[in-house]
Amino acid sequence: MHIETFFPYRLAVVAEAFSRQLVAVYGREYGLSREEWRLLFLLEDAGSLNSSQLAQRTTLDKVQVSRAASRLEAKNLITREVLGSDRRLRDYAITETGRGLFLRAFGQVEARAEEIFAAMPAADREALERGISALDRAIAAVTRPEAGHGAAFPRPPDAPGEPAE
């Protein structure tokens, strides 16, 4: 067997290549790391989230969330507040400055993603979107972390037009 033909490897390589195309926009133009981008994206969508919610909704661990949040706070893009007596639990919110920067960056990131997708035939793009949804559902169906079978992972909401399970 060759690694180049092993599906998990191919999927990881293509996902990384796609991600790097987007990082080139928000990283170069806006000085954001992947972790910072993810946090801004989640906070722009939700308005505010606590540290547990952030860790559940992203593939970042708590240390990555904390470090990215520190950098975003230093840039005045988010705020952090300690929640109650547990100093480990924090509430994160996007600032108006953060929202403005995110929206400017998002327009350019979305344009880059669309440029890539436009290079694909429409039928291939639709098949890819269906395939990603199907792979997500299959992983969820066979994952039982409580039984030692697989690891918990954040799941995206169902794609538009797909039945919820």
Side-chain angles (χ1 to χ4, degrees):
M1 169 163 276
H2 298 284
I3 194 168
E4 293 82 9
T5 61
F6 185 55
F7 180 77
Y9 175 79
R10 291 178 59 213
L11 181 62
V13 168
V14 171
E16 178 65 19
F18 188 81
S19 181
R20 285 183 183 202
Q21 295 302 307
L22 306 183
V23 169
V25 176
Y26 63 73
R28 181 180 57 235
E29 300 291 324
Y30 297 94
L32 297 170
S33 69
R34 284 182 192 186
E35 295 82 6
E36 291 168 337
W37 174 253
R38 288 182 190 173
L39 292 187
L40 272 184
F41 204 121
L42 287 169
L43 291 172
E44 198 288 323
D45 182 51
S48 70
L49 294 167
N50 67 41
S51 46
S52 295
Q53 292 168 322
L54 278 173
Q56 289 169 356
R57 291 187 62 186
T58 183
T59 58
L60 305 175
D61 63 36
K62 289 179 183 179
V63 172
Q64 290 173 305
V65 167
S66 179
R67 288 180 181 161
S70 292
R71 293 189 305 265
L72 290 170
E73 186 177 34
K75 296 174 185 179
N76 192 36
L77 301 177
I78 69 166
T79 59
R80 289 190 299 176
E81 293 181 24
V82 174
L83 291 177
S85 61
D86 187 349
R87 299 195 49 80
R88 295 171 298 171
L89 191 59
R90 297 180 186 260
D91 188 54
Y92 299 89
I94 193 166
T95 64
E96 285 306 312
T97 302
R99 181 168 281 112
L101 181 134
F102 174 81
L103 293 174
R104 286 189 309 277
F106 183 78
Q108 292 179 336
V109 168
E110 186 176 42
R112 181 63 179 142
E114 286 302 319
E115 180 183 5
I116 295 165
F117 288 135
M120 296 173 65
D124 287 350
R125 181 174 177 175
E126 291 166 10
L128 176 62
E129 289 176 5
R130 282 192 315 275
I132 289 171
S133 293
L135 181 58
D136 175 60
R137 289 189 305 272
I139 293 167
V142 301
T143 301
R144 294 182 310 282
E146 69 285 352
H149 195 68
F153 63 99
R155 293 198 62 230
D158 292 321
E162 283 193 17
E165 294 189 1

PDB file of all heavy atoms in Angstrom, residues 1-14:
ATOM      1  N   MET A   1       0.848  -1.185   0.000  1.00  0.00           N
ATOM      2  CA  MET A   1       0.000   0.000   0.000  1.00  0.00           C
ATOM      3  C   MET A   1       0.892   1.246   0.000  1.00  0.00           C
ATOM      4  O   MET A   1       1.931   1.274   0.634  1.00  0.00           O
ATOM      5  CB  MET A   1      -0.899  -0.003   1.233  1.00  0.00           C
ATOM      6  CG  MET A   1      -1.592   1.324   1.418  1.00  0.00           C
ATOM      7  SD  MET A   1      -2.993   1.318   2.497  1.00  0.00           S
ATOM      8  CE  MET A   1      -4.250   0.776   1.393  1.00  0.00           C
ATOM      9  N   HIS A   2       0.445   2.256  -0.706  1.00  0.00           N
ATOM     10  CA  HIS A   2       1.150   3.535  -0.766  1.00  0.00           C
ATOM     11  C   HIS A   2       0.340   4.576  -0.011  1.00  0.00           C
ATOM     12  O   HIS A   2      -0.882   4.664  -0.179  1.00  0.00           O
ATOM     13  CB  HIS A   2       1.339   3.990  -2.216  1.00  0.00           C
ATOM     14  CG  HIS A   2       2.173   3.043  -3.012  1.00  0.00           C
ATOM     15  ND1 HIS A   2       3.541   2.981  -2.887  1.00  0.00           N
ATOM     16  CD2 HIS A   2       1.817   2.100  -3.921  1.00  0.00           C
ATOM     17  CE1 HIS A   2       3.998   2.045  -3.699  1.00  0.00           C
ATOM     18  NE2 HIS A   2       2.978   1.491  -4.340  1.00  0.00           N
ATOM     19  N   ILE A   3       1.018   5.399   0.771  1.00  0.00           N
ATOM     20  CA  ILE A   3       0.321   6.401   1.569  1.00  0.00           C
ATOM     21  C   ILE A   3      -0.480   7.360   0.697  1.00  0.00           C
ATOM     22  O   ILE A   3      -1.559   7.812   1.070  1.00  0.00           O
ATOM     23  CB  ILE A   3       1.298   7.151   2.503  1.00  0.00           C
ATOM     24  CG1 ILE A   3       0.496   7.929   3.551  1.00  0.00           C
ATOM     25  CG2 ILE A   3       2.240   8.046   1.714  1.00  0.00           C
ATOM     26  CD1 ILE A   3       1.324   8.464   4.689  1.00  0.00           C
ATOM     27  N   GLU A   4       0.021   7.650  -0.501  1.00  0.00           N
ATOM     28  CA  GLU A   4      -0.654   8.596  -1.386  1.00  0.00           C
ATOM     29  C   GLU A   4      -2.033   8.109  -1.844  1.00  0.00           C
ATOM     30  O   GLU A   4      -2.853   8.896  -2.305  1.00  0.00           O
ATOM     31  CB  GLU A   4       0.203   8.914  -2.618  1.00  0.00           C
ATOM     32  CG  GLU A   4       1.462   9.678  -2.295  1.00  0.00           C
ATOM     33  CD  GLU A   4       2.612   8.775  -1.817  1.00  0.00           C
ATOM     34  OE1 GLU A   4       2.486   7.523  -1.903  1.00  0.00           O
ATOM     35  OE2 GLU A   4       3.615   9.324  -1.348  1.00  0.00           O
ATOM     36  N   THR A   5      -2.291   6.806  -1.742  1.00  0.00           N
ATOM     37  CA  THR A   5      -3.588   6.266  -2.143  1.00  0.00           C
ATOM     38  C   THR A   5      -4.471   5.930  -0.942  1.00  0.00           C
ATOM     39  O   THR A   5      -5.609   5.502  -1.123  1.00  0.00           O
ATOM     40  CB  THR A   5      -3.418   5.005  -3.011  1.00  0.00           C
ATOM     41  OG1 THR A   5      -2.725   4.002  -2.249  1.00  0.00           O
ATOM     42  CG2 THR A   5      -2.660   5.327  -4.295  1.00  0.00           C
ATOM     43  N   PHE A   6      -3.984   6.126   0.263  1.00  0.00           N
ATOM     44  CA  PHE A   6      -4.738   5.839   1.487  1.00  0.00           C
ATOM     45  C   PHE A   6      -5.708   6.998   1.724  1.00  0.00           C
ATOM     46  O   PHE A   6      -5.301   8.141   1.899  1.00  0.00           O
ATOM     47  CB  PHE A   6      -3.755   5.664   2.653  1.00  0.00           C
ATOM     48  CG  PHE A   6      -4.379   5.260   3.946  1.00  0.00           C
ATOM     49  CD1 PHE A   6      -5.185   4.133   4.039  1.00  0.00           C
ATOM     50  CD2 PHE A   6      -4.132   6.004   5.096  1.00  0.00           C
ATOM     51  CE1 PHE A   6      -5.740   3.751   5.257  1.00  0.00           C
ATOM     52  CE2 PHE A   6      -4.676   5.632   6.316  1.00  0.00           C
ATOM     53  CZ  PHE A   6      -5.482   4.506   6.392  1.00  0.00           C
ATOM     54  N   PHE A   7      -7.017   6.704   1.687  1.00  0.00           N
ATOM     55  CA  PHE A   7      -8.023   7.762   1.721  1.00  0.00           C
ATOM     56  C   PHE A   7      -7.864   8.741   2.887  1.00  0.00           C
ATOM     57  O   PHE A   7      -7.924   9.961   2.665  1.00  0.00           O
ATOM     58  CB  PHE A   7      -9.446   7.178   1.696  1.00  0.00           C
ATOM     59  CG  PHE A   7     -10.491   8.254   1.720  1.00  0.00           C
ATOM     60  CD1 PHE A   7     -10.782   8.981   0.577  1.00  0.00           C
ATOM     61  CD2 PHE A   7     -11.152   8.570   2.897  1.00  0.00           C
ATOM     62  CE1 PHE A   7     -11.719  10.003   0.598  1.00  0.00           C
ATOM     63  CE2 PHE A   7     -12.098   9.585   2.927  1.00  0.00           C
ATOM     64  CZ  PHE A   7     -12.377  10.300   1.773  1.00  0.00           C
ATOM     65  N   PRO A   8      -7.680   8.294   4.127  1.00  0.00           N
ATOM     66  CA  PRO A   8      -7.529   9.272   5.213  1.00  0.00           C
ATOM     67  C   PRO A   8      -6.367  10.248   4.979  1.00  0.00           C
ATOM     68  O   PRO A   8      -6.478  11.446   5.279  1.00  0.00           O
ATOM     69  CB  PRO A   8      -7.294   8.414   6.454  1.00  0.00           C
ATOM     70  CG  PRO A   8      -7.972   7.122   6.130  1.00  0.00           C
ATOM     71  CD  PRO A   8      -7.734   6.926   4.645  1.00  0.00           C
ATOM     72  N   TYR A   9      -5.286   9.754   4.426  1.00  0.00           N
ATOM     73  CA  TYR A   9      -4.145  10.623   4.123  1.00  0.00           C
ATOM     74  C   TYR A   9      -4.515  11.626   3.036  1.00  0.00           C
ATOM     75  O   TYR A   9      -4.250  12.822   3.158  1.00  0.00           O
ATOM     76  CB  TYR A   9      -2.939   9.779   3.695  1.00  0.00           C
ATOM     77  CG  TYR A   9      -1.756  10.608   3.255  1.00  0.00           C
ATOM     78  CD1 TYR A   9      -0.915  11.192   4.196  1.00  0.00           C
ATOM     79  CD2 TYR A   9      -1.485  10.818   1.904  1.00  0.00           C
ATOM     80  CE1 TYR A   9       0.163  11.965   3.801  1.00  0.00           C
ATOM     81  CE2 TYR A   9      -0.424  11.589   1.497  1.00  0.00           C
ATOM     82  CZ  TYR A   9       0.417  12.163   2.460  1.00  0.00           C
ATOM     83  OH  TYR A   9       1.479  12.933   2.053  1.00  0.00           O
ATOM     84  N   ARG A  10      -5.120  11.154   1.968  1.00  0.00           N
ATOM     85  CA  ARG A  10      -5.515  12.044   0.862  1.00  0.00           C
ATOM     86  C   ARG A  10      -6.466  13.128   1.351  1.00  0.00           C
ATOM     87  O   ARG A  10      -6.346  14.298   0.985  1.00  0.00           O
ATOM     88  CB  ARG A  10      -6.171  11.238  -0.261  1.00  0.00           C
ATOM     89  CG  ARG A  10      -5.202  10.338  -0.991  1.00  0.00           C
ATOM     90  CD  ARG A  10      -5.878   9.514  -2.070  1.00  0.00           C
ATOM     91  NE  ARG A  10      -6.508  10.398  -3.050  1.00  0.00           N
ATOM     92  CZ  ARG A  10      -7.624  10.103  -3.701  1.00  0.00           C
ATOM     93  NH1 ARG A  10      -8.250   8.971  -3.477  1.00  0.00           N
ATOM     94  NH2 ARG A  10      -8.116  10.945  -4.576  1.00  0.00           N
ATOM     95  N   LEU A  11      -7.428  12.726   2.180  1.00  0.00           N
ATOM     96  CA  LEU A  11      -8.391  13.680   2.721  1.00  0.00           C
ATOM     97  C   LEU A  11      -7.687  14.737   3.569  1.00  0.00           C
ATOM     98  O   LEU A  11      -7.955  15.939   3.435  1.00  0.00           O
ATOM     99  CB  LEU A  11      -9.457  12.946   3.549  1.00  0.00           C
ATOM    100  CG  LEU A  11     -10.560  13.793   4.159  1.00  0.00           C
ATOM    101  CD1 LEU A  11     -11.377  14.476   3.069  1.00  0.00           C
ATOM    102  CD2 LEU A  11     -11.454  12.911   5.030  1.00  0.00           C
ATOM    103  N   ALA A  12      -6.762  14.316   4.420  1.00  0.00           N
ATOM    104  CA  ALA A  12      -6.024  15.250   5.271  1.00  0.00           C
ATOM    105  C   ALA A  12      -5.176  16.205   4.436  1.00  0.00           C
ATOM    106  O   ALA A  12      -5.117  17.413   4.722  1.00  0.00           O
ATOM    107  CB  ALA A  12      -5.143  14.481   6.265  1.00  0.00           C
ATOM    108  N   VAL A  13      -4.524  15.703   3.402  1.00  0.00           N
ATOM    109  CA  VAL A  13      -3.671  16.540   2.552  1.00  0.00           C
ATOM    110  C   VAL A  13      -4.504  17.583   1.805  1.00  0.00           C
ATOM    111  O   VAL A  13      -4.146  18.759   1.752  1.00  0.00           O
ATOM    112  CB  VAL A  13      -2.850  15.667   1.572  1.00  0.00           C
ATOM    113  CG1 VAL A  13      -2.180  16.512   0.496  1.00  0.00           C
ATOM    114  CG2 VAL A  13      -1.804  14.862   2.343  1.00  0.00           C
ATOM    115  N   VAL A  14      -5.637  17.167   1.247  1.00  0.00           N
ATOM    116  CA  VAL A  14      -6.487  18.110   0.512  1.00  0.00           C
ATOM    117  C   VAL A  14      -7.095  19.134   1.471  1.00  0.00           C
ATOM    118  O   VAL A  14      -7.151  20.327   1.159  1.00  0.00           O
ATOM    119  CB  VAL A  14      -7.579  17.361  -0.290  1.00  0.00           C
ATOM    120  CG1 VAL A  14      -8.600  18.324  -0.869  1.00  0.00           C
ATOM    121  CG2 VAL A  14      -6.929  16.555  -1.404  1.00  0.00           C
TER     122      VAL A  14
END
